Every structure is written in structure tokens, then in C-alpha cells.
Amino acid sequence: GRQNVNDSKIVEVARYPNRVHAEQVRGFLESEGIPAMLRFDDAGGMRPELAFVGRVTLMVFEENLEEARQLIKAAETETGPETEDPSE
């Protein structure tokens, strides 16, 4: 059965330089059924201007980590400049 979410450890899956990119990836993971959350290095909200220059950490539950990594990698391969996929 599914683990109780309360028992799950939340771990870092990726870091992004800005909130916009991180929000896009978070939305993508959630559309794939993986709950994700963002952590901002903005001094706990005391200095919101840092959210735009600081790094944004994308967090997922530990049991979803591997799947999340693979989805992100696949998504970035699709949208990145390297569009040739040797397996096609």
C-alpha cells in the first residue's frame, strides 16, 4: 500500500536559479502525479527580493525522488537545445 505521507522524508530533487522555472517544473511534476514543493532561499520571506536572485530548491517526497528525477531529465531533454534523441 501507499506509505503515509506524514512518514515520508522530503528531499531535494533539483535547484533552479529563479522561481518561474521552478514553478514550471513543480507544476509539471504535479501534473504527473508527484507532489512537489518549492523552498526559497529568501531568508524565510523576510527578504522577498532574494527569491528572484537566490536559488529555488524543488523538493519531493523521498519515495518519488527517482521518478521525479527521470521526469525532469526527460522534460529538459525535450525542451532543451539538444533536441536529437539517439533512441528515436
Side-chain angles (χ1 to χ4, degrees):
R2 272 193 67 67
Q3 278 187 329
N4 185 345
V5 165
N6 295 332
D7 298 335
S8 296
K9 210 168 109 185
I10 294 172
V11 295
E12 176 181 318
V13 65
R15 281 178 187 233
Y16 297 97
N18 64 66
R19 182 178 185 146
V20 175
H21 187 170
E23 289 280 9
Q24 287 172 338
V25 179
R26 185 183 74 108
F28 168 66
L29 287 180
E30 295 199 328
S31 76
E32 297 288 329
I34 295 177
M37 46 240 102
L38 300 178
R39 193 180 70 205
F40 304 104
D41 297 334
D42 63 356
M46 298 296 288
R47 298 189 58 197
E49 73 276 9
L50 292 182
F52 296 100
V53 294
R55 294 184 77 68
V56 185
T57 307
L58 183 66
M59 316 286 287
V60 296
F61 292 112
E62 196 169 36
E63 68 264 23
N64 296 328
L65 179 61
E66 199 48 52
E67 191 183 350
R69 276 195 181 136
Q70 287 171 2
L71 284 168
I72 290 168
K73 195 173 164 192
E76 287 179 350
T77 302
E78 265 173 46
T79 57
E82 296 82 32
T83 47
E84 308 105 295
D85 184 352
S87 68
E88 280 179 7

